[in-house]
Amino acid sequence: MLFYLQGITLGAALILPLGPQNTLILNQGILRQYALMAASFCMLSDVVLIGAGIFGGSALLQHSVLALQCITWAGCAFLLWYGWGTLRQVFRPAPAENDRQPSGRQRLKLLMTLFAVTWLNPHVYLDTFVVLGSLGSQVPATERGWFAAGAITASVVWFYALALLAGTLSPWLRRPRTRQIINLLVALMMFFLAFRLFEDGIRMLRDAM
């Protein structure tokens, strides 16, 4: 139980800061479109990443510098594209009726976006493989599963709670002015993360020379 609680605490500390995953789930909850699907995708991704990080993925990451560089630059390009599209919605908001008509194309676009911000974000691997992996390696092998289960529990509770809370507050958060402010914050966050990834990419190139 002690290692389970440690996993919950560390998992919560890594997942609670507002990031692209949380932002997308929050936005879908506000729209009341595929919020639980988005939460499920992020949760299942975390299960895979946390399990891989705690049970040996950190060693693999340290020997895959080229793969990490490719992920960094692809993530940077995607975040710039997504941030620009969100920024355009601040000045040219979509008609309200479009928000009420989810389609298969919107669902596919959401899944592609979730995939990109999750699997093309090197900071996700640093959190799960390096931080959780290094601490998990210090846990006795017989108790490591409890540590991983605790981190996964934090992920499950947080993602679903965020989706449900956003849906509950949707009538207030969907006001045009509020949506503009949220879109602006999302765009600024994406640009900031892209800048951070750009810095990481440049640093990795320098280290490789």
Side-chain angles (χ1 to χ4, degrees), residues 16-195:
L16 286 180
L18 190 61
Q21 286 181 319
N22 293 336
T23 302
L24 286 171
I25 293 174
L26 178 65
N27 198 46
Q28 294 306 127
I30 294 172
L31 296 175
R32 293 182 175 176
Q33 293 180 8
Y34 310 124
L36 293 179
M37 184 190 74
S40 298
F41 181 93
C42 294
M43 180 270 293
L44 292 174
S45 297
D46 267 15
V47 170
V48 175
L49 290 166
I50 290 171
I54 292 177
F55 294 102
S58 57
L60 178 64
L61 181 64
Q62 293 173 359
H63 293 86
S64 303
V65 178
L66 179 60
L68 188 59
Q69 287 181 345
C70 292
I71 291 172
T72 298
W73 291 112
C76 180
F78 176 82
L79 289 172
L80 286 173
W81 172 80
Y82 188 85
W84 171 246
T86 307
L87 186 63
R88 291 176 60 188
Q89 294 182 22
V90 175
F91 303 102
R92 292 190 300 176
E97 58 270 16
N98 287 350
D99 291 344
R100 294 194 293 266
Q101 296 177 357
S103 64
R105 184 176 179 181
Q106 289 176 324
R107 180 169 53 195
L108 179 60
K109 180 181 178 181
L110 173 62
L111 286 173
M112 292 176 61
T113 304
L114 288 168
F115 178 86
V117 299
T118 300
W119 294 93
L120 295 182
N121 182 1
H123 291 288
V124 171
Y125 297 95
L126 294 177
D127 286 344
T128 55
F129 281 32
V130 177
V131 178
L132 281 174
S134 60
L135 293 176
S137 64
Q138 301 174 23
V139 175
T142 56
E143 307 294 341
R144 205 165 293 168
W146 286 104
F147 181 79
I152 291 171
T153 298
S155 176
V156 172
V157 172
W158 171 251
F159 284 137
Y160 283 115
L162 182 63
L164 295 173
L165 179 62
T168 301
L169 298 178
S170 177
W172 180 75
L173 295 175
R174 286 186 67 171
R175 296 173 181 173
R177 190 63 175 175
T178 306
R179 287 296 308 280
Q180 282 185 306
I181 295 174
I182 291 175
N183 284 334
L184 178 60
L185 293 176
V186 170
L188 292 176
M189 179 183 303
M190 295 301 170
F191 288 141
F192 173 74
L193 291 173
F195 177 73

